[in-house]
Amino acid sequence: MKILNKISILMVAGLLTTSCTVEEFSDLNGPEVGSLVEDLSRGDLQDLVGGVFYSMRVGLGNYYDDTGVLGREFYRFSSSDPRLTADLLGRENAILDNNTFYITTPWAARYRTVKNVNIILEALDNSTADFTEGELNATKGFLKTIKAHELLMNLNLTDENGIRIDVNDPENLGPIVSKSEALSAIRAMLEEGASNLAAGGDSFPFSMTAGFDGFNDPSSFLEVNKGLSARVAAYQEDFSAVLSFLGDSFLDLNGDLSEGIYYVFSDDQNDLPNPVFFQQNASAAGVRIVQPDFITDAEAGDDRIDAKTSLRDETITFDGLSGDYDFFVFKSRTDNVPIIRNAELVLLYAEANINTNPEEAVKALNVIRNAASLSDYSGANTASALTAEMLKQRRYELYGEGHRWIDARRYDILNTLPIDRPGDDVFTQFPIPLTENE
């Protein structure tokens, strides 16, 4: 394998299950970004895609803390870093720092994956290996879908501050574009990837992790692409497009709500453990505590409370905040974390039907309610009432999966999120990292 300028990717035996490692690259402006893999072989492709699966998981703990704390889903107590309960909760006129781990780490990690994808895409064009046209399309479709997802995650954090879309040339990075322009570019990238996947034949020329089981060939992964496209279209308030994308996705109103694709983790020394897991009854040295309103606002009989939280032996108090329940969506260091799953698609289907077909929206909402042991929705079929119910079901069904803050922002209800200490604030977005402005 010919690799220029210090890029090295090491595969761990057993990629068919979960593990792969990749040397961490420096920031987006680093000199090795322009490195290319020359004359890509099938083995090289497997190694490089393994690096993508690895880098997709780097910095996830920071991302979920950012969205979960700002969205008032949980508190992140850390006796070694008070910024998690000061900066993120806007304590006493605090501001979000543009040169601190809670933005620089997830931002750089997502662009690291984008860089890896760009390297492979360019290498595919340079390869003299015997890839079929279908295999080339399948690989490009997969990579463009992943790249779009990674860019969307950064946009979720910075929102109206925008992101860079064009980062192909590290010596001449494209501008930071607006939120609307970024969403349009991400959607176009997904649609381009969908076209590649549709021409991708029967299989990928590389193996995927167990988190993609059921979606590990071009036709089934195309359904994932369409689901992600529906998410983007919802952010654009293009609900006719949401329904169109969902029609070609893996949406199943009668199916398993957990069906989807996932980040996978392990305790292998060459791999990564689940970064959102803490043991029950952990101390303030490091723990996530359920924001109390999540418990008190729940509808009686909602079994998602027991499924996603754990009552502590004793109340924990830290930095003027208290809670009785541990965040316990993930039960071990090896639990999978969803990237997108059927429950979100059902809720997107409900959202997209609220204004045009409220009966269908209620049907989808009842799928979610009944799965949580709740009776059918009995409220009004008005747009406002159904929107409130849809947002409540998203709050409880997708708890801790990175959606609540974004949902509150796009529906302009950030002011309804709880303020638990005098002087706290709810932030709308993170700043662009300082290094991007240099």
Side-chain angles (χ1 to χ4, degrees):
M1 179 168 59
K2 299 177 181 178
I3 302 180
L4 306 179
N5 260 351
K6 299 189 281 186
I7 293 179
S8 66
I9 294 179
L10 306 174
M11 288 301 300
V12 176
L15 176 65
L16 287 173
T17 54
T18 61
S19 298
C20 56
T21 64
V22 57
E23 177 183 325
E24 291 195 12
F25 306 138
S26 62
D27 65 72
L28 190 62
N29 300 308
E32 75 273 17
V33 175
S35 302
L36 301 175
V37 178
E38 297 177 342
D39 200 12
L40 185 76
S41 71
R42 287 180 178 271
D44 296 339
L45 178 62
Q46 180 68 77
D47 290 351
L48 290 167
V49 171
V52 170
F53 283 125
Y54 186 95
S55 63
M56 284 176 67
R57 299 172 300 160
V58 174
L60 282 181
N62 300 106
Y63 179 83
Y64 288 115
D65 281 341
D66 287 348
T67 55
V69 174
L70 269 67
R72 281 2 187 226
E73 294 186 289
F74 54 77
Y75 309 132
R76 174 66 166 89
F77 292 171
S78 174
S79 57
S80 64
D81 202 324
R83 289 172 292 185
L84 292 164
T85 48
D87 291 19
L88 293 187
L89 292 173
R91 187 174 191 180
E92 297 175 352
N93 299 314
I95 62 171
L96 293 174
D97 192 333
N98 67 353
N99 196 30
T100 297
F101 69 93
Y102 47 65
I103 182 59
T104 59
T105 297
W107 175 276
R110 303 290 66 79
Y111 275 117
R112 183 176 298 118
T113 302
V114 169
K115 179 172 69 175
N116 292 348
V117 166
N118 287 340
I119 289 169
I120 303 172
L121 287 172
E122 189 163 357
L124 286 171
D125 290 336
N126 293 339
S127 176
T128 60
D130 58 344
F131 293 111
T132 67
E133 193 65 26
E135 288 175 327
L136 289 172
N137 270 308
T139 304
K140 290 177 180 179
F142 170 78
L143 292 171
K144 291 172 186 176
T145 301
I146 296 301
K147 179 178 177 179
H149 174 260
E150 299 292 285
L151 290 171
L152 183 63
M153 289 180 72
N154 271 354
L155 185 62
N156 284 342
L157 296 181
T158 56
D159 197 51
E160 295 291 350
N161 284 327
I163 59 171
R164 293 189 198 277
I165 293 292
D166 179 6
V167 294
N168 289 331
D169 181 357
E171 302 303 323
N172 186 29
L173 296 174
I176 293 174
V177 302
S178 69
K179 176 184 179 180
S180 61
E181 187 175 346
L183 285 172
S184 294
I186 289 167
R187 179 166 159 181
M189 194 178 300
L190 285 166
E191 292 178 348
E192 186 177 333
S195 295
N196 289 135
L197 289 165
D202 297 329
S203 63
F204 290 111
F206 52 84
S207 299
M208 303 172 81
T209 72
F212 288 71
D213 284 354
F215 300 96
N216 50 12
D217 61 61
S219 61
S220 58
F221 190 74
L222 176 58
E223 296 179 350
V224 170
N225 172 288
K226 295 294 186 177
L228 291 170
S229 296
R231 180 191 289 174
V232 174
Y235 290 178
Q236 295 175 304
E237 300 182 14
D238 185 354
F239 292 115
S240 62
V242 172
L243 291 174
S244 178
F245 287 130
L246 288 176
D248 294 323
S249 74
F250 62 96
L251 166 69
D252 186 351
L253 293 176
N254 300 308
D256 184 352
L257 294 180
S258 65
E259 184 75 11
I261 61 168
Y262 289 76
Y263 303 106
V264 293
F265 304 94
S266 79
D267 280 325
D268 188 290
Q269 64 178 354
N270 295 307
D271 201 29
L272 297 172
N274 183 319
V276 203
F277 167 74
F278 279 117
Q279 294 284 353
Q280 293 168 288
N281 294 299
S283 71
V287 67
R288 293 177 181 88
I289 297 297
V290 176
Q291 202 284 334
D293 284 13
F294 182 76
I295 305 296
T296 58
D297 290 350
E299 195 169 334
D302 190 333
D303 62 16
R304 291 170 294 196
I305 297 301
D306 288 340
K308 298 173 184 287
T309 73
S310 176
L311 181 63
R312 293 177 59 86
D313 292 341
E314 294 181 345
T315 300
I316 186 171
T317 300
F318 178 77
D319 201 12
L321 303 165
S322 296
D324 295 312
Y325 289 81
D326 286 327
F327 174 82
F328 210 55
V329 174
F330 309 107
K331 317 300 185 193
S332 76
R333 288 164 51 91
T334 59
D335 268 16
N336 297 343
V337 173
I339 298 171
I340 188 168
R341 61 187 180 97
N342 188 39
E344 182 187 350
L345 302 188
V346 172
L347 287 160
L348 286 171
Y349 183 75
E351 182 177 0
N353 275 296
I354 285 174
N355 287 299
T356 57
N357 193 347
E359 292 79 12
E360 198 68 12
V362 170
K363 177 183 174 181
L365 290 171
N366 285 337
V367 168
I368 301 298
R369 291 180 58 86
N370 295 165
S373 301
L374 297 175
S375 60
D376 285 353
Y377 172 73
S378 58
N381 274 20
T382 62
S384 60
L386 288 173
T387 297
E389 174 66 14
M390 177 272 297
L391 289 171
K392 183 169 186 177
Q393 293 311 314
R394 284 182 66 90
R395 177 186 181 186
Y396 282 88
E397 182 61 34
L398 305 178
Y399 178 63
E401 297 179 25
H403 296 278
R404 174 63 175 166
W405 178 52
I406 298 158
D407 289 343
R409 183 174 63 202
R410 64 193 182 97
Y411 276 90
D412 196 24
I413 56 170
L414 286 172
N415 63 337
T416 68
L417 298 182
I419 299 294
D420 295 308
R421 298 173 303 198
D424 280 4
D425 196 7
V426 178
F427 290 113
T428 301
Q429 60 198 10
F430 284 84
I432 297 292
L434 176 65
T435 53
E436 293 297 326
N437 297 314
E438 293 178 345

Short mmCIF file of all heavy atoms in Angstrom, two decimals, residues 13 20 23 85 91 103 127 148 159 163 169 184 208 256 262 283 291 297 311 364 367 375 407:
data_model
loop_
_atom_site.label_atom_id
_atom_site.label_comp_id
_atom_site.label_asym_id
_atom_site.label_seq_id
_atom_site.Cartn_x
_atom_site.Cartn_y
_atom_site.Cartn_z
N ALA A 13 -7.58 -7.71 13.35
CA ALA A 13 -8.25 -8.92 12.89
C ALA A 13 -9.65 -8.96 13.45
O ALA A 13 -9.89 -8.64 14.59
CB ALA A 13 -7.47 -10.15 13.34
N CYS A 20 -11.52 -1.84 14.70
CA CYS A 20 -10.57 -1.30 13.74
C CYS A 20 -9.90 -0.12 14.39
O CYS A 20 -10.46 0.54 15.24
CB CYS A 20 -11.24 -0.88 12.44
SG CYS A 20 -12.57 0.30 12.64
N GLU A 23 -4.59 5.58 13.03
CA GLU A 23 -3.79 6.64 13.65
C GLU A 23 -4.56 7.95 13.54
O GLU A 23 -5.09 8.31 12.49
CB GLU A 23 -2.47 6.77 12.91
CG GLU A 23 -1.59 7.89 13.42
CD GLU A 23 -0.32 8.03 12.61
OE1 GLU A 23 0.20 7.01 12.16
OE2 GLU A 23 0.12 9.17 12.41
N THR A 85 -20.79 21.97 33.79
CA THR A 85 -21.96 22.47 34.48
C THR A 85 -21.98 24.00 34.58
O THR A 85 -22.95 24.57 35.06
CB THR A 85 -22.05 21.88 35.92
OG1 THR A 85 -20.78 22.01 36.57
CG2 THR A 85 -22.47 20.44 35.87
N ARG A 91 -23.98 29.38 33.09
CA ARG A 91 -24.04 29.87 34.46
C ARG A 91 -23.43 31.25 34.61
O ARG A 91 -22.32 31.50 34.15
CB ARG A 91 -23.32 28.89 35.39
CG ARG A 91 -23.48 29.26 36.86
CD ARG A 91 -22.91 28.21 37.78
NE ARG A 91 -23.31 28.47 39.17
CZ ARG A 91 -22.95 27.71 40.19
NH1 ARG A 91 -22.21 26.65 40.00
NH2 ARG A 91 -23.36 28.01 41.41
N ILE A 103 -16.37 22.02 21.94
CA ILE A 103 -16.61 22.26 20.53
C ILE A 103 -15.43 21.80 19.67
O ILE A 103 -15.63 21.23 18.61
CB ILE A 103 -16.97 23.74 20.23
CG1 ILE A 103 -17.28 23.93 18.74
CG2 ILE A 103 -15.89 24.69 20.69
CD1 ILE A 103 -18.42 23.10 18.21
N SER A 127 -7.21 4.64 -8.69
CA SER A 127 -6.92 3.21 -8.58
C SER A 127 -6.90 2.52 -9.94
O SER A 127 -7.69 2.83 -10.84
CB SER A 127 -7.98 2.55 -7.70
OG SER A 127 -7.77 1.15 -7.67
N ALA A 148 -21.94 13.19 4.48
CA ALA A 148 -23.07 14.09 4.72
C ALA A 148 -23.52 14.02 6.17
O ALA A 148 -23.82 15.05 6.80
CB ALA A 148 -24.23 13.72 3.79
N ASP A 159 -25.15 25.47 14.05
CA ASP A 159 -26.42 26.00 13.56
C ASP A 159 -26.21 27.21 12.65
O ASP A 159 -25.57 27.11 11.62
CB ASP A 159 -27.33 26.31 14.74
CG ASP A 159 -28.79 26.48 14.33
OD1 ASP A 159 -29.30 25.59 13.63
OD2 ASP A 159 -29.40 27.50 14.69
N ILE A 163 -21.02 25.94 8.72
CA ILE A 163 -19.90 25.00 8.66
C ILE A 163 -19.20 25.16 7.32
O ILE A 163 -19.68 25.84 6.42
CB ILE A 163 -20.35 23.53 8.80
CG1 ILE A 163 -21.36 23.16 7.69
CG2 ILE A 163 -20.92 23.25 10.18
CD1 ILE A 163 -21.68 21.69 7.62
N ASP A 169 -9.52 20.53 -0.57
CA ASP A 169 -8.16 21.02 -0.70
C ASP A 169 -7.76 21.68 0.62
O ASP A 169 -8.21 22.79 0.93
CB ASP A 169 -8.05 22.03 -1.84
CG ASP A 169 -6.63 22.55 -2.04
OD1 ASP A 169 -5.73 22.17 -1.26
OD2 ASP A 169 -6.44 23.35 -2.98
N SER A 184 -28.68 22.54 2.30
CA SER A 184 -28.89 22.24 0.88
C SER A 184 -27.76 21.40 0.32
O SER A 184 -27.98 20.45 -0.45
CB SER A 184 -29.03 23.55 0.08
OG SER A 184 -30.19 24.25 0.46
N MET A 208 -18.37 -4.40 6.62
CA MET A 208 -18.87 -3.35 7.49
C MET A 208 -18.95 -3.89 8.92
O MET A 208 -18.90 -5.10 9.14
CB MET A 208 -20.24 -2.86 7.00
CG MET A 208 -20.19 -2.36 5.57
SD MET A 208 -21.80 -1.97 4.85
CE MET A 208 -22.08 -0.34 5.52
N ASP A 256 -39.81 -3.20 14.12
CA ASP A 256 -39.02 -2.99 15.33
C ASP A 256 -38.53 -1.55 15.35
O ASP A 256 -37.84 -1.10 14.42
CB ASP A 256 -37.85 -3.97 15.32
CG ASP A 256 -37.00 -3.91 16.59
OD1 ASP A 256 -37.21 -3.01 17.42
OD2 ASP A 256 -36.12 -4.78 16.72
N TYR A 262 -25.95 1.54 13.74
CA TYR A 262 -25.43 1.88 15.05
C TYR A 262 -23.91 2.01 15.05
O TYR A 262 -23.22 1.34 14.28
CB TYR A 262 -25.81 0.78 16.06
CG TYR A 262 -27.26 0.72 16.42
CD1 TYR A 262 -28.20 0.17 15.54
CD2 TYR A 262 -27.72 1.20 17.63
CE1 TYR A 262 -29.55 0.11 15.87
CE2 TYR A 262 -29.07 1.15 17.98
CZ TYR A 262 -29.97 0.60 17.09
OH TYR A 262 -31.30 0.56 17.43
N SER A 283 -20.02 8.55 41.13
CA SER A 283 -19.87 9.79 41.90
C SER A 283 -19.79 10.99 40.97
O SER A 283 -19.74 10.86 39.73
CB SER A 283 -18.61 9.72 42.75
OG SER A 283 -17.46 9.82 41.93
N GLN A 291 -32.05 15.16 34.09
CA GLN A 291 -32.66 16.43 34.49
C GLN A 291 -34.04 16.11 35.08
O GLN A 291 -34.82 15.37 34.47
CB GLN A 291 -32.78 17.34 33.27
CG GLN A 291 -32.89 18.80 33.57
CD GLN A 291 -34.28 19.19 34.08
OE1 GLN A 291 -35.26 18.52 33.78
NE2 GLN A 291 -34.34 20.26 34.84
N ASP A 297 -42.30 15.24 34.10
CA ASP A 297 -43.15 15.55 32.94
C ASP A 297 -43.67 14.30 32.24
O ASP A 297 -44.53 14.40 31.35
CB ASP A 297 -42.38 16.37 31.91
CG ASP A 297 -42.10 17.80 32.36
OD1 ASP A 297 -42.68 18.20 33.38
OD2 ASP A 297 -41.30 18.48 31.70
N LEU A 311 -32.95 4.82 39.15
CA LEU A 311 -33.04 5.51 40.42
C LEU A 311 -31.79 5.24 41.24
O LEU A 311 -31.40 4.10 41.47
CB LEU A 311 -34.28 5.05 41.19
CG LEU A 311 -34.54 5.71 42.55
CD1 LEU A 311 -34.77 7.21 42.39
CD2 LEU A 311 -35.72 5.03 43.25
N ALA A 364 -49.17 7.24 13.43
CA ALA A 364 -47.73 7.05 13.69
C ALA A 364 -47.40 7.35 15.16
O ALA A 364 -46.60 6.64 15.78
CB ALA A 364 -46.92 7.96 12.77
N VAL A 367 -48.15 4.44 17.29
CA VAL A 367 -47.13 3.39 17.22
C VAL A 367 -46.09 3.61 18.32
O VAL A 367 -45.71 2.67 19.03
CB VAL A 367 -46.45 3.38 15.83
CG1 VAL A 367 -45.20 2.50 15.84
CG2 VAL A 367 -47.43 2.90 14.76
N SER A 375 -51.57 4.42 26.16
CA SER A 375 -52.79 4.28 25.36
C SER A 375 -52.72 5.22 24.16
O SER A 375 -51.85 6.09 24.06
CB SER A 375 -54.01 4.61 26.21
OG SER A 375 -53.93 5.94 26.72
N ASP A 407 -34.43 19.77 18.29
CA ASP A 407 -35.88 19.88 18.11
C ASP A 407 -36.41 21.16 18.74
O ASP A 407 -37.23 21.88 18.15
CB ASP A 407 -36.59 18.68 18.72
CG ASP A 407 -36.38 17.40 17.93
OD1 ASP A 407 -35.96 17.48 16.76
OD2 ASP A 407 -36.63 16.32 18.49
#
